[in-house]
Structure formats: C-alpha cells, structure tokens
Amino acid sequence: MNDPVMPTIPAMSASQSIRLLIIDDHAVVREGLEAMLGVDPCFADIATAASTDEGVQCCEEFHPDVILLDLRMPECDGFSALEIIHRQWPEIRILVLSAGATAAEVKLVKRNGASGYLSKSVDRATLLAAIRAVAAGEMIFPREPAPKAGDAPQLSARELEVLRHLGRGLSSQELGVVLGISPETVKSHVKAIFHKLAVTDRAEAVSRAYELGLLAVDR
Amino acid sequence: MNDPVMPTIPAMSASQSIRLLIIDDHAVVREGLEAMLGVDPCFADIATAASTDEGVQCCEEFHPDVILLDLRMPECDGFSALEIIHRQWPEIRILVLSAGATAAEVKLVKRNGASGYLSKSVDRATLLAAIRAVAAGEMIFPREPAPKAGDAPQLSARELEVLRHLGRGLSSQELGVVLGISPETVKSHVKAIFHKLAVTDRAEAVSRAYELGLLAVDR
DNA sequence: ATGGCAATCCCCCGGGCGGGGGATTTTTGA
DNA sequence: TCAAAAATCCCCCGCCCGGGGGATTGCCAT
C-alpha cells in the first residue's frame, strides 16, 4: 500500500557483473535474498554479513559494488554501518532496505550517503531493477513529498512539548506547573493537539505520535 | 546473541511431504523463504500470503500442514492471525517467526496455540529442522526464563489486547463492546495494566508500552 | 495593516476516568 | 491436586478530562 514509487529506470549498459553484499542480521532474510537474487545472471558474486562489523570487514576483503543494508538491526544499528561504509568507501552504492518507511528516516538515510531506499515489501522484480539502477549510478528513493505530505501534522514547539509530557502521565494541572503556564492553557494546547492528530483522547494522541514519529522510542 | 536454543530434534519418519504456508507482509522475506526452502525435497507445496486475511483464506483453500507466521505486520497484526487460524484449524502447526524476541511475547505466542517460535536470525538448517519438527508434532520454543525476566512486565494476552485498543482511543464502554465483555471488566484490566507498567493513566501506559516494545511502531 | 497563527487565559458541564473496595469462575502451573 | 493467576463482574466516589463556547496578546507575512 505504501510501497515507494519507483522512478523510471533508464536503459542499462547490458547486464554488468555486479558484486553484491547483503548486510542483515536475520539469516532468513540474508539467505533468502541470496537465493532470490543468486539466480540472476547480472551478479558476479554475492557476499553476506550479519552485522555492522562483519559488513565493514567484508567491504575490505570483498570490494562490493552494491550493498543491500538492513536499517533495523538489534544490537548494531544500520545507520552507523551506513555512515562508516560511506565515509570509507564512497564509491560503494548502498541500497537501504527497511521495514517501516518514515519520511524522516528516508531523509536521514539520503543525507548519510545511501543511493536508495526500499521497503522490504517490494517484489523481486522491483528489487532487481533497483539494484541494477543504483549500480549504474541512479538514486532510488520513494517519492516522499507528493502523496502524504499532509498527513504529517505540523505541531508547534509548545504542542510537542505538551505531547511529550502527556506521555509521561502528567495531568493538565501538573503540566501547567512544569511549563509555568495555566492549566487552562494546557487544556487549550491539548485540544489543539487532538484536532491536528485527529484523535479523541490523550492515549490515542500518544499512540499516533509514536506512529507518526513525533515521539521517539529511545527514551 | 539471543538465538533460541534448539531442543534435541528426534529422528524423522523419512522426509514427509509437508504443505507449507508462509505469511509475511514483506515480499523479500516471502519470496526469500520460498526460494530458500523450495529446493528442499521435504516440501510438497509452498504457498504464500501477504496478510492475515490472505493467510486465513489460504488455509481454507490450500490446507497447509505448517505455517510460517511473521508476528510483526503493519496493519494486520500476527497475533490475531495466530488466534484465528489456531481456533479454526487446530491441526495446523504454526511456527512463529519474529524479529525481536521478548520473553513475554514468546509466552503469549505459546499460549495462543503456536507450535514454535524462532528468531529470524536463525540459519537455514535450524529453520528446516524446526519446520520438520513442528510438522512431526514437536514444540520448538526458546529457553526463555533464563536471565532477564524482570525487565519486561508480563502482561496477559487480554491485557495486551486492551492496551492496543487504548492506543486507538477507545473508552471503557467502547472497548467492552468490541471485546464482548462488561465495561467494568475493561476497567479492571486497565487497572491491572497500570499496576504492571507502573503508570497512572492511559496516555502514560501507551507511552511505556511503546518504549518497552509491547506495542509496535512500524506500520 | 489586516488577516492568520501561536500562545496565553477563562467559563460551563456532563460523563468518563482512576482509585478504592470486593466477589466469582475458569485456567494455569506447580 | 491445589493454590495462584487470569478473567469476569459489581459498587462508590471525587475530580479531571474532553467538547463547547470565547478573549487577548504578540508575531509574521502579503
């Protein structure tokens, strides 16, 4: 439903031999991708790594042309892998695979040197096309601003502040004390938040905030 | 690091013909698993589904022996698929595949009729062995109680269900209608949740739930 | 400078929330 | 087998929440 929209992919200069490195902590995904892509003749060799460290090491030894990188990894996070590898080997194209696509996440990834961003829910043909495209120097990113630019509600700084404290269990009174304003003002902010997020109570507001990326999960 | 410890798998009665259904919203995982397992002779047929609904429909038409079920799915959550399918077809063995293994999650899954629980980071051999084992009636679960049982509050299945709906903005009344129980019972569950999560209101409960990983952020 | 928006403060009011009790039945696990 | 936990239902009650009105001060953009 929210698959990234693929840009038009230009004609390729034949089926080159692409050296591919897959970095994903899930063996299922790793071996699955390998099995899925291995049959394609455009790949010269495919290597896999189960962690950031392993991936970096693999770059030294294997010299890949393209890397498929999973962002969501438990211990070692994919972002650091992206930064490290891109800084050290700027010529390597990195195609980020992620489970949940946040607009902010896409932006971050783009800024940090990735050549593309794909949801894991894309089909094989799209994935193959994307790999070939980034190998050829294309940038593959979801068309972010277009479809759902309006669904990211613009909360004011004050409202965000109030929202954060709502998630900490503060009442309007307590929040008023913390922010140094009247509890009535707090209620006004809360009402505004409700309208902007299209919710009916504090619990739903907090939930939506997490889903929309307005609140972080890292505490 | 936290891979499930596999119990000893008994000798199989030859390589039976297993009808396998893969339920996962990520095409990469779906096609990957299919490609990875399809070569093995012990599978008679492999079907795939991209959602809970599709999976249920597939059970009717395809009659699988074993299901590989992804717990973390955006819109349709894997829990409901587990409940629905297990209630309707108790003879189908369901092997849950999950990204992050919480002790509470494992317990919940076990209670709701799954035959096994595996992290996506297991290798192909382990996965194959596990599928054959559950097909033969074995139970495959990680040795859970071990080290850190205390850091994740143990919510019951019902409590988690209530918690999810709290995040959707339902009142006690509405929640009672949805779950088919008295609003007074809902209030009891909510109180229990508050105590277990050490919070004072619904908003804080939802927030803590996200931080503790009891609620997912992906969609 | 006039309209729009954020931020502040105020009022009313009904209904639901949260905290405090307790009780029963079923399920689970030891 | 038997006790603990889960799941269900019920009562009371104070008070905060949520929705409905406004009003005032700034700031900014055209």
Short mmCIF file of all heavy atoms in Angstrom, two decimals, chain C residues 1-14:
data_model
loop_
_atom_site.label_atom_id
_atom_site.label_comp_id
_atom_site.label_asym_id
_atom_site.label_seq_id
_atom_site.Cartn_x
_atom_site.Cartn_y
_atom_site.Cartn_z
P DA C 1 -1.33 51.13 9.13
OP1 DA C 1 -1.89 52.43 9.35
OP2 DA C 1 -0.56 50.44 10.15
"O5'" DA C 1 -2.48 50.18 8.67
"C5'" DA C 1 -2.97 49.92 7.42
"C4'" DA C 1 -3.54 48.54 7.53
"O4'" DA C 1 -2.48 47.58 7.24
"C3'" DA C 1 -4.05 48.18 8.92
"O3'" DA C 1 -5.09 47.20 8.79
"C2'" DA C 1 -2.86 47.52 9.57
"C1'" DA C 1 -2.29 46.74 8.38
N9 DA C 1 -0.88 46.41 8.48
C8 DA C 1 0.05 46.95 9.34
N7 DA C 1 1.25 46.44 9.20
C5 DA C 1 1.10 45.51 8.17
C6 DA C 1 1.99 44.64 7.55
N6 DA C 1 3.30 44.56 7.86
N1 DA C 1 1.50 43.85 6.57
C2 DA C 1 0.22 43.94 6.25
N3 DA C 1 -0.71 44.73 6.77
C4 DA C 1 -0.20 45.48 7.74
P DT C 2 -6.63 47.87 8.46
OP1 DT C 2 -6.51 48.96 7.48
OP2 DT C 2 -7.24 48.11 9.75
"O5'" DT C 2 -7.35 46.63 7.76
"C5'" DT C 2 -6.75 46.05 6.61
"C4'" DT C 2 -6.48 44.57 6.85
"O4'" DT C 2 -5.10 44.35 7.21
"C3'" DT C 2 -7.31 43.93 7.96
"O3'" DT C 2 -8.06 42.86 7.43
"C2'" DT C 2 -6.30 43.51 9.02
"C1'" DT C 2 -5.03 43.33 8.18
N1 DT C 2 -3.74 43.45 8.93
C2 DT C 2 -2.62 42.85 8.44
O2 DT C 2 -2.62 42.24 7.42
N3 DT C 2 -1.50 43.02 9.22
C4 DT C 2 -1.39 43.71 10.41
O4 DT C 2 -0.32 43.80 11.00
C5 DT C 2 -2.60 44.31 10.87
C7 DT C 2 -2.60 45.09 12.14
C6 DT C 2 -3.71 44.16 10.13
P DG C 3 -9.11 41.98 8.31
OP1 DG C 3 -10.47 42.29 7.87
OP2 DG C 3 -8.74 42.14 9.72
"O5'" DG C 3 -8.75 40.49 7.87
"C5'" DG C 3 -8.10 40.25 6.64
"C4'" DG C 3 -7.16 39.06 6.79
"O4'" DG C 3 -5.92 39.51 7.40
"C3'" DG C 3 -7.71 37.95 7.69
"O3'" DG C 3 -7.55 36.71 7.03
"C2'" DG C 3 -6.88 38.04 8.97
"C1'" DG C 3 -5.57 38.62 8.47
N9 DG C 3 -4.84 39.40 9.48
C8 DG C 3 -5.35 40.34 10.34
N7 DG C 3 -4.45 40.87 11.12
C5 DG C 3 -3.27 40.23 10.75
C6 DG C 3 -1.94 40.40 11.25
O6 DG C 3 -1.54 41.16 12.13
N1 DG C 3 -1.04 39.56 10.58
C2 DG C 3 -1.37 38.68 9.58
N2 DG C 3 -0.39 37.96 9.07
N3 DG C 3 -2.60 38.52 9.11
C4 DG C 3 -3.49 39.33 9.74
P DG C 4 -8.18 35.36 7.73
OP1 DG C 4 -8.79 34.58 6.64
OP2 DG C 4 -8.97 35.76 8.92
"O5'" DG C 4 -6.88 34.59 8.22
"C5'" DG C 4 -5.77 34.43 7.32
"C4'" DG C 4 -4.58 33.82 8.07
"O4'" DG C 4 -3.92 34.86 8.85
"C3'" DG C 4 -4.95 32.71 9.05
"O3'" DG C 4 -4.06 31.61 8.87
"C2'" DG C 4 -4.76 33.33 10.43
"C1'" DG C 4 -3.71 34.39 10.17
N9 DG C 4 -3.81 35.54 11.07
C8 DG C 4 -4.95 36.24 11.38
N7 DG C 4 -4.74 37.23 12.21
C5 DG C 4 -3.39 37.16 12.48
C6 DG C 4 -2.59 37.98 13.33
O6 DG C 4 -2.92 38.94 14.01
N1 DG C 4 -1.25 37.57 13.31
C2 DG C 4 -0.76 36.51 12.58
N2 DG C 4 0.54 36.26 12.70
N3 DG C 4 -1.50 35.74 11.78
C4 DG C 4 -2.80 36.13 11.78
P DC C 5 -4.49 30.19 9.54
OP1 DC C 5 -4.27 29.18 8.49
OP2 DC C 5 -5.80 30.32 10.23
"O5'" DC C 5 -3.38 29.99 10.66
"C5'" DC C 5 -2.01 30.21 10.37
"C4'" DC C 5 -1.24 30.43 11.65
"O4'" DC C 5 -1.50 31.76 12.15
"C3'" DC C 5 -1.64 29.46 12.78
"O3'" DC C 5 -0.51 28.71 13.19
"C2'" DC C 5 -2.16 30.35 13.90
"C1'" DC C 5 -1.49 31.70 13.57
N1 DC C 5 -2.26 32.86 14.10
C2 DC C 5 -1.57 33.85 14.81
O2 DC C 5 -0.35 33.73 14.98
N3 DC C 5 -2.26 34.92 15.31
C4 DC C 5 -3.58 35.00 15.10
N4 DC C 5 -4.21 36.07 15.60
C5 DC C 5 -4.30 34.00 14.38
C6 DC C 5 -3.60 32.96 13.90
P DA C 6 -0.73 27.54 14.29
OP1 DA C 6 -0.16 26.32 13.69
OP2 DA C 6 -2.12 27.54 14.79
"O5'" DA C 6 0.21 28.01 15.49
"C5'" DA C 6 1.41 28.71 15.22
"C4'" DA C 6 1.90 29.38 16.48
"O4'" DA C 6 1.15 30.60 16.71
"C3'" DA C 6 1.75 28.54 17.75
"O3'" DA C 6 2.91 28.66 18.55
"C2'" DA C 6 0.53 29.14 18.44
"C1'" DA C 6 0.62 30.60 18.02
N9 DA C 6 -0.68 31.28 17.95
C8 DA C 6 -1.81 30.85 17.32
N7 DA C 6 -2.82 31.68 17.43
C5 DA C 6 -2.33 32.72 18.19
C6 DA C 6 -2.90 33.92 18.66
N6 DA C 6 -4.17 34.27 18.41
N1 DA C 6 -2.12 34.74 19.39
C2 DA C 6 -0.85 34.38 19.63
N3 DA C 6 -0.19 33.28 19.24
C4 DA C 6 -1.00 32.49 18.52
P DA C 7 3.04 27.72 19.84
OP1 DA C 7 4.49 27.45 20.01
OP2 DA C 7 2.08 26.62 19.71
"O5'" DA C 7 2.57 28.64 21.06
"C5'" DA C 7 3.20 29.89 21.26
"C4'" DA C 7 2.47 30.63 22.36
"O4'" DA C 7 1.27 31.23 21.81
"C3'" DA C 7 2.00 29.77 23.55
"O3'" DA C 7 2.59 30.26 24.74
"C2'" DA C 7 0.49 29.89 23.56
"C1'" DA C 7 0.27 31.19 22.81
N9 DA C 7 -1.03 31.25 22.15
C8 DA C 7 -1.60 30.31 21.33
N7 DA C 7 -2.80 30.64 20.89
C5 DA C 7 -3.03 31.88 21.46
C6 DA C 7 -4.12 32.77 21.39
N6 DA C 7 -5.22 32.53 20.68
N1 DA C 7 -4.02 33.94 22.09
C2 DA C 7 -2.91 34.17 22.79
N3 DA C 7 -1.82 33.41 22.93
C4 DA C 7 -1.95 32.27 22.24
P DT C 8 2.41 29.44 26.12
OP1 DT C 8 3.70 29.63 26.86
OP2 DT C 8 1.89 28.09 25.83
"O5'" DT C 8 1.30 30.24 26.92
"C5'" DT C 8 1.49 31.59 27.24
"C4'" DT C 8 0.16 32.29 27.46
"O4'" DT C 8 -0.65 32.21 26.26
"C3'" DT C 8 -0.75 31.70 28.53
"O3'" DT C 8 -0.41 32.23 29.79
"C2'" DT C 8 -2.14 32.17 28.11
"C1'" DT C 8 -1.95 32.56 26.64
N1 DT C 8 -2.90 31.89 25.72
C2 DT C 8 -4.09 32.52 25.45
O2 DT C 8 -4.41 33.60 25.92
N3 DT C 8 -4.92 31.81 24.59
C4 DT C 8 -4.66 30.59 24.00
O4 DT C 8 -5.49 30.08 23.26
C5 DT C 8 -3.40 30.00 24.34
C7 DT C 8 -3.02 28.66 23.74
C6 DT C 8 -2.59 30.67 25.17
P DC C 9 -0.98 31.49 31.10
OP1 DC C 9 -0.32 32.16 32.23
OP2 DC C 9 -0.90 30.03 30.93
"O5'" DC C 9 -2.52 31.89 31.09
"C5'" DC C 9 -2.90 33.24 31.32
"C4'" DC C 9 -4.40 33.38 31.11
"O4'" DC C 9 -4.74 32.96 29.78
"C3'" DC C 9 -5.28 32.54 32.04
"O3'" DC C 9 -5.88 33.36 33.03
"C2'" DC C 9 -6.34 31.91 31.13
"C1'" DC C 9 -6.11 32.61 29.79
N1 DC C 9 -6.37 31.72 28.63
C2 DC C 9 -7.51 31.95 27.85
O2 DC C 9 -8.27 32.88 28.14
N3 DC C 9 -7.77 31.13 26.79
C4 DC C 9 -6.92 30.14 26.51
N4 DC C 9 -7.20 29.38 25.46
C5 DC C 9 -5.75 29.90 27.29
C6 DC C 9 -5.52 30.70 28.33
P DC C 10 -6.59 32.62 34.26
OP1 DC C 10 -6.53 33.63 35.35
OP2 DC C 10 -6.01 31.28 34.45
"O5'" DC C 10 -8.10 32.45 33.79
"C5'" DC C 10 -8.85 33.59 33.40
"C4'" DC C 10 -10.16 33.19 32.77
"O4'" DC C 10 -9.91 32.62 31.46
"C3'" DC C 10 -10.96 32.10 33.49
"O3'" DC C 10 -11.90 32.70 34.36
"C2'" DC C 10 -11.67 31.34 32.35
"C1'" DC C 10 -11.12 31.98 31.09
N1 DC C 10 -10.82 30.98 30.02
C2 DC C 10 -11.78 30.71 29.04
O2 DC C 10 -12.86 31.30 29.09
N3 DC C 10 -11.50 29.79 28.08
C4 DC C 10 -10.32 29.16 28.07
N4 DC C 10 -10.09 28.28 27.10
C5 DC C 10 -9.32 29.43 29.06
C6 DC C 10 -9.60 30.34 30.02
P DC C 11 -12.72 31.78 35.38
OP1 DC C 11 -13.24 32.70 36.42
OP2 DC C 11 -11.87 30.62 35.74
"O5'" DC C 11 -13.94 31.21 34.52
"C5'" DC C 11 -14.92 32.13 34.04
"C4'" DC C 11 -16.00 31.35 33.30
"O4'" DC C 11 -15.42 30.83 32.07
"C3'" DC C 11 -16.53 30.14 34.05
"O3'" DC C 11 -17.89 30.37 34.43
"C2'" DC C 11 -16.46 28.98 33.05
"C1'" DC C 11 -16.05 29.62 31.75
N1 DC C 11 -15.08 28.79 30.99
C2 DC C 11 -15.47 28.18 29.79
O2 DC C 11 -16.62 28.33 29.37
N3 DC C 11 -14.56 27.40 29.12
C4 DC C 11 -13.32 27.27 29.60
N4 DC C 11 -12.47 26.52 28.90
C5 DC C 11 -12.90 27.89 30.80
C6 DC C 11 -13.80 28.63 31.47
P DC C 12 -18.61 29.29 35.38
OP1 DC C 12 -19.71 30.00 36.05
OP2 DC C 12 -17.60 28.56 36.15
"O5'" DC C 12 -19.23 28.28 34.32
"C5'" DC C 12 -20.06 28.78 33.28
"C4'" DC C 12 -20.65 27.63 32.49
"O4'" DC C 12 -19.61 27.09 31.61
"C3'" DC C 12 -21.15 26.47 33.34
"O3'" DC C 12 -22.42 26.06 32.88
"C2'" DC C 12 -20.10 25.37 33.13
"C1'" DC C 12 -19.57 25.69 31.74
N1 DC C 12 -18.15 25.25 31.53
C2 DC C 12 -17.83 24.41 30.46
O2 DC C 12 -18.71 24.02 29.71
N3 DC C 12 -16.53 24.04 30.29
C4 DC C 12 -15.59 24.48 31.13
N4 DC C 12 -14.33 24.10 30.92
C5 DC C 12 -15.90 25.34 32.21
C6 DC C 12 -17.18 25.70 32.39
P DC C 13 -23.39 25.26 33.86
OP1 DC C 13 -24.79 25.68 33.56
OP2 DC C 13 -22.87 25.34 35.24
"O5'" DC C 13 -23.20 23.79 33.33
"C5'" DC C 13 -23.15 23.54 31.92
"C4'" DC C 13 -22.70 22.11 31.68
"O4'" DC C 13 -21.26 22.07 31.49
"C3'" DC C 13 -23.00 21.16 32.84
"O3'" DC C 13 -23.58 19.98 32.34
"C2'" DC C 13 -21.63 20.89 33.44
"C1'" DC C 13 -20.74 20.98 32.20
N1 DC C 13 -19.32 21.24 32.50
C2 DC C 13 -18.31 20.67 31.68
O2 DC C 13 -18.66 19.97 30.74
N3 DC C 13 -17.02 20.90 31.97
C4 DC C 13 -16.70 21.67 33.03
N4 DC C 13 -15.41 21.88 33.27
C5 DC C 13 -17.69 22.27 33.87
C6 DC C 13 -18.98 22.03 33.57
P DG C 14 -24.68 19.23 33.19
OP1 DG C 14 -25.97 19.92 32.99
OP2 DG C 14 -24.15 19.01 34.56
"O5'" DG C 14 -24.77 17.81 32.46
"C5'" DG C 14 -24.64 17.75 31.04
"C4'" DG C 14 -23.64 16.67 30.65
"O4'" DG C 14 -22.30 17.12 30.97
"C3'" DG C 14 -23.84 15.33 31.36
"O3'" DG C 14 -23.76 14.30 30.40
"C2'" DG C 14 -22.69 15.27 32.36
"C1'" DG C 14 -21.61 16.06 31.63
N9 DG C 14 -20.62 16.68 32.52
C8 DG C 14 -20.88 17.39 33.67
N7 DG C 14 -19.79 17.82 34.26
C5 DG C 14 -18.76 17.37 33.45
C6 DG C 14 -17.36 17.54 33.58
O6 DG C 14 -16.73 18.13 34.46
N1 DG C 14 -16.68 16.92 32.53
C2 DG C 14 -17.26 16.25 31.50
N2 DG C 14 -16.44 15.72 30.59
N3 DG C 14 -18.57 16.08 31.37
C4 DG C 14 -19.25 16.67 32.37
#
